[in-house]
Amino acid sequence: MTDVKEIIEIMKSPNKKNIEIVTKAYNAAFNAHSMQKRLSGEPYFEHVFDTARTLAKLSMGAKTIAAGFLHDTLEDGLITKDDLIKEFGEEVVFLIEGVTKLGKLEYKGVERHVESLRKLFIATAQDMRVLIIRLADRLHNIKTLKGHPSEEKRRRIAIETLEIFSPIANRLGIGKLKGDLEDNAFPYAYPEEYKKTKELLNTKSKVNKKYLEKVRRTLQKELAKQDIKDATTDYRIKRMYSLYKKLLLNNMDIDEIYDTVALRIVVSTVGDCYRVLGIIHNIWRPLPGKIKDYIANPKPNGYQSLHTTIFTGDGGIVEIQIRTSEMHSEAEHGIASHLAYKEAQNKKTAGAKKEPVWIKQLLDWQKNVTGTGEFLNNLKIDFFKDRVFVFTPKGDVIDLPEDSSIIDFAYAVHTYIGNHISSAKVNCKMASLNTKLTNGDIVEIITKESAHPTSKWLKYTKTTLATKRIRAYEAENGSKLKNLLPNIGRHRLF
Ligand code: MN
């Protein structure tokens, strides 16, 4: 069941060196976890094996797959860092350490500030591959959630997966991973809604498939007649959780949703995509407002396809998606395919493929990286490098510019808190107000009615919000402030 050959067969570029790395990691992980069992009683090794297999399926490189095998060894103290470096080199260990660090992040108050939590997660990961290993790790955990003894925890893990993990997979354009994470988490997060959605989908998709089959037969003949070569047609059934989200927007009315089952046509060129669209509209009447050209205007995560919805003429309505095979694999693998290129040190980027802007920026930035420690920067995540994400004691995330101080934090929470800072704790320790905050800090502000801002604070603020509020306070209380200054001194910490 857990044979390394299976992984090697899936691997995209299994040259001798890559097979050696992966096999060595397989053996080391197998030995390290040999005595461990999961909560469900299964051998622990199955968890890391499945993580590595998911990474191989995403066409990730050998080092990433190796790190997938070894991702729990450091945290569990099964192999020392020194031994790992000796055996696998710094790059693999950097990835393992990143995954370990990410695992320690707690998502207190998940329902609040989820967008900031996602950013914190990405910023902490530092490297795309760390992020993807963590997603693959989570996928196996959520697939085996049944074995978790606590119902409350099962629910929390499932919701966290839907709120934090799958949106990141989506952002990275890895549609397959996003869908798998969501559909495995959905029944545990919202059991009732899951049941209802499943029933609706089953009834609806049966009817829909009947219409689709007719459309497909007609279309195949027509495509052959018009000499469109290599066109393949297929169904895609809408993923359960994404259907649920759409139902929520439509008062749970399934008849408003036309893409429960969609016909998917894959052709070889972009020109053929538009020709096929023309052929379809020539035979069937399209629903107005439902034609979407994601080829000319890709979605932010890079997704490309043409979508149209047609009246089948006998009462049915069917969505059709048209794309090239390249767009198809891009939609499934997203950034993962670009990373494999990078790890293999292939100088070519992803060819003429159109990348999402943020990926392009990332790749451009990497080209300019020189000097020592290069591999660390190789696939470094840069888009949040100017931000820090810190927690309130309640677990809310506050998103601040880099080099922000406790004063900036206090004003970001509330003007009153900023105007009455008496002292502060960072990670439970007293800290002076000019302390610069770093990612993941938990910041607690102690206020006093008698405490007030001083103009000295302006030296320690980074945000315009804090600067403005302090100036406003001074303007309002200017004369009072001067008179109070000797008193205020007692409250100042620097
Ligand atoms: Mn794990």
Side-chain angles (χ1 to χ4, degrees):
M1 262 264 295
T2 51
D3 193 328
V4 72
K5 277 187 202 141
E6 188 189 337
I7 308 260
I8 291 164
E9 262 166 40
I10 306 169
M11 278 169 68
K12 212 178 176 185
S13 48
N15 61 38
K16 204 173 153 227
K17 201 175 126 217
N18 287 344
I19 292 172
E20 201 182 291
I21 297 171
V22 169
T23 309
K24 209 161 78 171
Y26 169 90
N27 288 328
F30 187 84
N31 292 330
H33 292 293
S34 63
M35 303 301 281
Q36 270 182 316
K37 290 235 163 21
R38 305 193 80 222
L39 285 170
S40 60
E42 309 275 311
Y44 199 90
F45 181 69
E46 282 181 16
H47 166 67
V48 297
F49 184 86
D50 191 79
T51 305
R53 179 169 47 199
T54 301
L55 294 167
K57 280 185 186 163
L58 289 170
S59 322
M60 300 298 286
K63 286 172 194 157
T64 310
I65 297 171
F69 271 124
L70 297 162
H71 79 269
D72 280 327
T73 55
L74 254 190
E75 190 174 11
D76 295 351
L78 302 168
I79 308 179
T80 67
K81 189 179 165 182
D82 286 347
D83 284 347
L84 280 174
I85 291 176
K86 228 183 286 159
E87 287 298 311
F88 298 98
E90 303 230 4
E91 189 169 351
V92 172
V93 176
F94 165 77
L95 295 175
I96 299 169
E97 279 193 310
V99 177
T100 307
K101 199 168 148 202
L102 216 51
K104 292 205 174 110
L105 268 187
E106 288 210 39
Y107 309 101
K108 286 163 277 183
V110 148
E111 55 288 335
R112 286 177 290 185
H113 291 118
V114 279
E115 185 53 35
S116 293
L117 275 167
R118 283 172 213 146
K119 287 182 188 162
L120 168 69
F121 188 90
I122 295 172
T124 309
Q126 293 183 312
D127 185 296
M128 293 288 178
R129 294 169 297 174
V130 169
L131 214 50
I132 293 170
I133 297 167
R134 192 79 181 95
L135 293 173
D137 167 52
R138 174 53 65 108
L139 178 62
H140 184 256
N141 284 336
I142 201 89
K143 280 198 289 195
T144 53
L145 202 54
K146 209 165 69 183
H148 206 293
S150 149
E151 196 194 327
E152 184 42 42
K153 274 215 171 139
R154 285 200 299 263
R155 196 175 157 261
R156 193 187 56 78
I157 294 170
I159 290 178
E160 190 182 277
T161 303
L162 295 176
E163 303 278 8
I164 310 291
F165 288 73
S166 77
I168 290 172
N170 182 42
R171 177 81 197 265
L172 300 177
I174 316 172
K176 174 91 175 68
L177 199 48
K178 171 197 177 258
D180 288 348
L181 284 166
E182 286 183 344
D183 284 355
N184 282 288
F186 188 20
Y188 295 100
Y190 311 111
E192 289 305 312
E193 292 83 346
Y194 172 75
K195 250 197 264 167
K196 175 122 200 260
T197 307
K198 199 174 170 189
E199 276 163 30
L200 286 172
L201 181 63
N202 283 345
T203 344
K204 184 77 180 181
S205 57
K206 259 180 226 147
V207 185
N208 248 356
K209 268 190 201 159
K210 223 176 55 198
Y211 292 119
L212 269 187
E213 196 44 55
K214 269 178 84 177
V215 169
R216 168 145 99 159
R217 277 194 303 263
T218 310
L219 190 59
Q220 270 171 338
K221 272 183 232 153
E222 197 57 31
L223 292 180
K225 222 192 281 172
Q226 305 264 352
D227 206 28
I228 303 252
K229 290 193 185 82
D230 309 320
T232 58
T233 54
D234 202 356
Y235 303 122
R236 84 100 179 82
I237 298 184
K238 197 168 183 67
R239 294 281 201 152
M240 205 79 82
Y241 187 65
S242 90
L243 173 61
Y244 168 64
K245 280 197 293 188
K246 210 161 182 181
L247 282 166
L248 283 180
L249 295 174
N250 290 283
N251 294 315
M252 296 302 278
D253 183 1
I254 189 103
D255 292 326
E256 290 288 309
I257 296 166
Y258 303 121
D259 66 339
T260 48
V261 187
L263 185 61
R264 192 174 270 165
I265 301 162
V266 178
V267 293
S268 38
T269 66
V270 172
D272 279 351
C273 290
Y274 290 102
R275 277 179 68 202
V276 171
L277 184 72
I279 292 167
I280 291 166
H281 288 173
N282 204 25
I283 307 173
W284 297 282
R285 193 159 62 85
L287 262 73
K290 284 277 178 189
I291 306 162
K292 303 211 176 92
D293 186 347
Y294 294 120
I295 292 179
N297 298 301
K299 287 189 183 180
N301 68 2
Y303 175 85
Q304 287 189 295
S305 273
L306 298 174
H307 291 189
T308 184
T309 306
I310 53 152
F311 296 102
T312 58
D314 50 359
I317 292 174
V318 161
E319 177 173 312
I320 305 178
Q321 306 175 347
I322 311 154
R323 54 175 73 159
T324 65
S325 45
E326 220 179 4
M327 290 170 194
H328 184 62
S329 87
E330 181 81 7
E332 298 280 297
H333 288 164
I335 194 172
S337 47
H338 301 273
L339 297 186
Y341 272 105
K342 288 277 129 185
E343 191 176 294
Q345 306 247 298
N346 194 328
K347 291 283 176 280
K348 272 181 274 171
T349 51
K353 254 185 266 175
K354 233 186 179 175
E355 289 139 4
V357 177
W358 61 277
I359 291 178
K360 211 175 165 322
Q361 283 168 349
L362 186 76
L363 295 175
D364 286 347
W365 181 76
Q366 281 161 10
K367 274 184 217 142
N368 299 324
V369 174
T370 48
T372 51
E374 191 166 349
F375 79 80
L376 292 183
N377 296 321
N378 228 358
L379 298 152
K380 200 167 160 182
I381 295 166
D382 191 35
F383 26 97
F384 300 129
K385 76 163 186 200
D386 304 328
R387 311 295 297 176
V388 290
F389 301 91
V390 296
F391 290 103
T392 70
K394 280 188 194 158
D396 286 341
V397 176
I398 306 293
D399 171 356
L400 296 164
E402 201 179 35
D403 291 332
S404 287
S405 69
I406 288 172
I407 300 167
D408 293 301
F409 170 86
Y411 279 103
V413 175
H414 197 279
T415 303
Y416 178 86
I417 295 181
N419 280 343
H420 296 279
I421 311 172
S422 158
S423 59
K425 287 180 184 174
V426 175
N427 303 324
C428 300
K429 284 194 196 104
M430 292 302 287
S432 59
L433 299 192
N434 61 346
T435 303
K436 281 182 187 172
L437 299 171
T438 58
N439 265 326
D441 281 347
I442 302 168
V443 187
E444 185 185 351
I445 305 288
I446 297 124
T447 56
K448 243 187 217 159
E449 193 58 39
S450 56
H452 298 291
T454 79
S455 40
K456 207 172 167 186
W457 284 14
L458 292 169
K459 275 201 279 182
Y460 308 117
T461 53
K462 179 86 184 173
T463 55
T464 32
L465 178 79
T467 310
K468 261 193 207 159
R469 294 281 189 269
I470 296 167
R471 291 231 167 91
Y473 187 90
E474 281 185 324
E476 266 174 51
N477 302 281
S479 53
K480 247 186 353 193
L481 195 64
K482 260 179 220 139
N483 296 336
L484 278 171
L485 268 178
N487 275 336
I488 290 167
R490 274 189 280 141
H491 303 291
R492 273 194 264 145
L493 288 169
F494 49 84

